[in-house]
Amino acid sequence: MDEQAHAARAMWNLLHDWWTMLPKEKRSLVAADAAIRQARKEIDWLGLLPAQAAQAILKTYFQAWKNCWDGRAEAPNFKARFRTVMSVDIPQGRDLNVTRVHRRWGMVNIPKIGRVRFRWTKDLPVGRRANSDNRITGARMVKDALGWHIAFRVQVLEPKPKPHTGPEVGIDVGLTVPLALSDGGTETHRPWLTGKEQVKLVRLERRAAHRKSFRERGEKTSRRLHRTYDRIQALRARAKRRCLDWQHQTTTAIAKKYGTVVVEALTVTNMVKSAKGTVMAPGKTVAQKSGLNRAISAEAWGRTIELLTYKTARNGGTLQKVPAPGTSQRCSACGFTTPGSRENQALFVCKNPDCGWSGNADHNASRNVLHLYRMGLALIPAAGRAVVRRARRVKPVAAR
């Protein structure tokens, strides 16, 4: 499986070089297909990759250029060995021959490898349950620090969901409280790594830095250092898996309970930019900003919103986005923004003499998020930019 993954990466790189070196008038899908067939015949280690997987690489590469031409993504580029996820695509589901051995394990046929056992973690349409509407259409093998995994592509016919009649809720994402709901509820989690695992991660990172200090510039990385890097990646992969599991369970519960979910339109990539600055104008509090960036990246706010988007639609609800500026400093009771109202990370005290409301800062922000939606300030993405929708004029009252 490792050899097939390396062959797939090399096939992509060779195809990319061949495509970019040819004149534009000679580039075509037919010519690329002929070049791939010839390369698999003449180069032995490229022949380790199944023909279907090679055709899937060609299809993916051509789709990447179409996405670039349409302005949806950047141009495809070279795949480096140590910065690319090892994966192999199996585009045809009929060759997999998936069977269930018992409750926890199943068997699948991998081209040029044979029958492989895999952990059965989700129901699949196999046997009598498989038909023209519910069937496995393909699979993809992916390797991370914890080993090889297989993800099946399944075509399932589902009925159109009925409109969700549940209540509306505003959600404020944060670090101390991951998800704060406008109805007073919160969604929290434990640290992704236990205390012993965190100590082990720090020890391994220090060991890697110590061993790296003895390596001369341009010298090949030792096997000991590679093993240390592998152990660090395994711990981080375990933390990522726990984070994804918590996100799936939490977003599923929210999508089933609420009919309309309102979140802030955050640009996370701008929030985690480095504060180093330049040589002429160096940044300030760089270490604190780096720690904040790591904490934001660990929470994966963008993935949480992405999961909520399709899960609310699957349950008949909707997800709306509102402008983010001012939601944390504005009082949800009177609507005024006064300096110094956010006394600390957890407490909000309105400095308006006629109000004086106080409460949890995250709960206050989630109420402001919901109130912006009720005022008709939802954002509609149009041609790559956000447009403010004013549905109707609503008297600005406190969100309840």
Side-chain angles (χ1 to χ4, degrees):
M1 296 173 73
D2 288 346
E3 292 175 351
Q4 287 193 15
H6 287 304
R9 180 187 59 83
M11 180 71 74
W12 173 282
N13 293 333
L14 293 174
L15 178 62
H16 180 63
D17 291 340
W18 178 88
W19 184 274
T20 53
M21 287 190 298
L22 277 184
K24 292 185 178 180
E25 60 272 9
K26 293 185 179 181
R27 298 175 184 175
S28 66
L29 196 60
V30 178
D33 180 57
I36 286 179
R37 294 176 183 272
Q38 182 181 0
R40 292 185 69 253
K41 290 180 181 179
E42 297 180 355
I43 305 176
D44 295 337
W45 53 272
L46 283 181
L48 298 173
L49 188 67
Q52 299 174 3
Q55 295 298 320
I57 293 174
L58 175 59
K59 183 178 179 181
T60 305
Y61 183 78
F62 193 71
Q63 183 63 39
W65 274 114
K66 290 181 64 177
N67 295 337
C68 175
W69 297 332
D70 295 339
R72 296 192 299 267
E74 296 181 357
N77 52 16
F78 182 84
K79 289 189 176 182
R81 179 175 182 179
F82 296 105
R83 296 193 300 271
T84 304
V85 178
M86 296 179 63
S87 62
V88 180
D89 200 5
I90 306 175
Q92 295 185 3
R94 65 174 181 270
D95 298 333
L96 295 173
N97 192 17
V98 180
T99 57
R100 187 163 189 172
V101 179
H102 53 80
R103 184 172 62 90
R104 291 188 176 182
W105 294 95
M107 297 289 289
V108 61
N109 184 39
I110 305 299
K112 292 198 174 186
I113 294 178
R115 300 292 289 173
V116 179
R117 188 178 67 170
F118 67 95
R119 184 68 179 267
W120 197 284
T121 57
K122 199 169 185 178
D123 291 335
L124 296 173
V126 297
R128 297 181 179 179
R129 298 179 55 188
N131 51 49
S132 59
D133 295 328
N134 303 300
R135 57 191 177 89
I136 299 176
T137 60
R140 186 178 183 84
M141 297 186 300
V142 182
K143 185 180 182 181
D144 62 4
L146 299 177
W148 278 97
H149 311 276
I150 184 168
F152 294 96
R153 287 190 294 271
V154 181
Q155 175 183 330
V156 180
L157 183 63
E158 294 183 354
K160 185 178 180 180
K162 298 181 180 179
H164 200 302
T165 58
E168 301 172 345
V169 65
I171 297 180
D172 175 68
V173 295
L175 300 178
T176 306
V177 180
L179 297 179
L181 309 183
S182 58
D183 57 2
T186 58
E187 297 290 345
T188 59
H189 59 77
R190 297 178 180 179
W192 304 131
L193 294 176
T194 62
K196 293 183 178 180
E197 291 173 340
Q198 292 177 1
V199 173
K200 183 178 179 181
L201 179 61
V202 173
R203 184 175 69 250
L204 290 174
E205 289 177 342
R206 290 178 178 175
R207 182 183 303 174
H210 177 71
R211 290 177 176 174
K212 187 179 179 181
S213 63
F214 292 98
R215 182 166 61 91
E216 299 293 338
R217 185 169 184 177
E219 184 182 356
K220 187 178 180 180
T221 305
S222 65
R223 293 184 179 181
R224 286 187 177 183
L225 184 55
H226 271 306
R227 285 196 294 268
T228 305
Y229 284 153
D230 292 341
R231 296 176 67 183
I232 293 174
Q233 291 178 0
L235 285 174
R236 291 177 176 173
R238 188 178 304 174
K240 182 179 179 180
R241 180 179 293 184
R242 291 171 182 171
C243 174
L244 186 60
D245 179 68
W246 177 83
Q247 287 178 321
H248 271 291
Q249 294 187 27
T250 304
T251 53
T252 300
I254 293 175
K256 289 182 178 180
K257 183 176 180 181
Y258 300 99
T260 302
V261 180
V262 189
V263 297
E264 297 174 296
L266 298 175
T267 308
V268 183
T269 54
N270 295 338
M271 298 175 64
V272 296
K273 285 185 176 180
S274 176
K276 290 183 179 180
T278 60
V279 178
M280 302 300 297
K284 299 180 181 179
T285 64
V286 178
Q288 293 85 339
K289 185 63 169 64
S290 299
L292 177 63
N293 293 346
R294 287 193 297 268
I296 294 175
S297 300
E299 291 297 330
W301 294 338
R303 187 168 59 199
T304 301
I305 296 175
E306 182 180 355
L307 295 178
L308 278 173
T309 302
Y310 81 84
K311 289 185 179 183
T312 51
R314 179 181 295 177
N315 289 272
T318 58
L319 182 131
Q320 303 290 340
K321 294 182 180 181
V322 296
T327 55
S328 300
Q329 290 80 23
R330 188 183 303 113
C331 178
S332 60
C334 64
F336 284 93
T337 302
T338 53
S341 296
R342 188 76 178 264
E343 295 190 353
N344 52 50
Q345 186 66 25
L347 182 62
F348 182 92
V349 179
C350 182
K351 300 300 182 180
N352 185 9
D354 299 331
C355 178
W357 181 85
S358 63
N360 184 271
D362 299 312
H363 176 52
N364 174 74
S366 61
R367 292 177 61 183
N368 285 327
V369 169
L370 180 60
H371 182 57
L372 290 176
Y373 166 73
R374 290 177 175 175
M375 291 182 62
L377 297 178
L379 299 179
I380 304 177
R385 59 188 180 89
V387 179
V388 179
R389 176 181 63 185
R390 295 185 177 273
R392 60 186 184 278
R393 292 187 176 273
V394 181
K395 184 178 180 181
V397 295
R400 296 181 180 178

